[in-house]
Amino acid sequence: YKSPSLSFQNLELSAQSQEGIINIDSLTADIFKGKVDAVGNAVVASAIPMYSATFAFNNIQLAEFLKYYAGYDKLDGYVSVNGRFSSKG
């Protein structure tokens, strides 16, 4: 099985970088017939990068999501997920 390419529509990004720190103030896009919102930052100036990000997938179509990740699209409906990734280096 070969997964299809991941496609974002209506991508809007507000970010800035200064002295090895990347801040993503806002990222929004349409994906899997739903929406993703995210914010985060990364410190890349250190030997081991630190990062933090929060995200929300809102009303993504379950069949589209599973088709992309597992090649399986037999489930129907919509799902919303909130999460956070972080590393202290």
Side-chain angles (χ1 to χ4, degrees), residues 16-54:
Q16 51 186 306
S17 174
Q18 183 177 359
E19 298 180 14
I21 301 172
I22 301 168
N23 289 310
I24 298 174
D25 301 320
S26 172
L27 179 143
T28 61
D30 296 335
I31 188 168
F32 302 122
K33 297 185 180 175
K35 186 168 273 308
V36 62
D37 296 297
V39 297
N41 62 54
V43 179
V44 295
S46 61
I48 300 175
M50 297 182 294
Y51 63 87
S52 175
T54 59

Side-chain angles (χ1 to χ4, degrees), residues 1 61-78:
Y1 170 75
Q61 189 174 33
L62 192 55
E64 294 286 321
F65 177 78
L66 291 174
K67 184 177 180 181
Y68 178 79
Y69 281 104
Y72 182 80
D73 62 355
K74 303 300 181 203
L75 295 176
D76 199 12
Y78 291 86

